[in-house]
Amino acid sequence: MPERLSLAAAPDWVAARLHGRTGTRWVGVDGLGAAGKSTLAHRIAAVLPGARIVKVDDFGRVGVRGWDRALFVAVVLEPLLAGRPARYQRWDLVADAGRDWVEVPPGGPVLVEGVSATDDRVPVPWDVTLWLDVPAAERERRIRTRDTDPALLERWRTDWWPSEQAYAAAQQPWTRVDAVVTGNDSAW
């Protein structure tokens, strides 16, 4: 049974879980769209020296439902597991074009954040996994406030909402994570 945590408690809880572990440590920050996963990942990274954040959104591509899991495995997971640096190109979904390149060195904490970050089809050897639980009405409000570009809203309607609902129904990730973090707007 996953532990239940507040937003404020989550960063120190993760740090305590990783205390004394060495090598590349894997932290998954999962949840549905606009739950606050990026914000939580940054807060956790702030208490983990040398932490790097890998965003699932950087593996989204036009024509790919959700995100490109195989690309993530090839350019992030496999190199880090082999003790080599990971290197990948961030992606602009609206322009459908590559942006800057990111390098992630082995041996430190790696936070993977995004919808379906802890997908059980991706063989990450997780040290800690979190599910961020925020009410649907609040998430929808955040999406409509944040993603005003018509192309993004269309992608939400035709891909991301259906994809995240299918993932949630099939895997029920909140039942298999180490902790469920309860979020609300005032806490952010």
Side-chain angles (χ1 to χ4, degrees), residues 40-66:
L40 179 58
H42 283 283
R43 288 182 179 185
I44 294 168
V47 301
L48 298 175
R52 300 298 180 99
I53 298 172
V54 177
K55 296 175 171 282
V56 163
D57 287 353
D58 287 334
F59 296 88
R61 300 292 189 273
V62 171
V64 173
R65 184 114 184 163

Side-chain angles (χ1 to χ4, degrees), residues 60-64 89-99 151 155:
R61 300 292 189 273
V62 171
V64 173
Q89 188 173 26
R90 293 181 346 128
W91 204 257
D92 182 327
L93 285 171
V94 175
D96 193 26
R99 291 196 272 188
R155 184 91 190 245

Side-chain angles (χ1 to χ4, degrees), residues 32 131 163-174:
L32 299 178
W131 175 265
S163 179
E164 72 179 21
Q165 294 305 312
Y167 165 69
Q171 294 192 25
Q172 299 181 358
W174 56 88

Side-chain angles (χ1 to χ4, degrees), residues 130-141:
L130 304 170
W131 175 265
L132 187 53
D133 184 25
V134 173
E138 176 59 21
R139 291 185 304 97
E140 186 171 339
R141 184 194 66 75

Side-chain angles (χ1 to χ4, degrees), residues 5 10 14 21 26 28 39 51 89 101 112 169 174 176:
L5 301 172
V14 171
R21 297 184 190 192
W26 297 90
T39 300
Q89 188 173 26
W101 286 86
V112 181
W174 56 88
R176 61 173 161 73

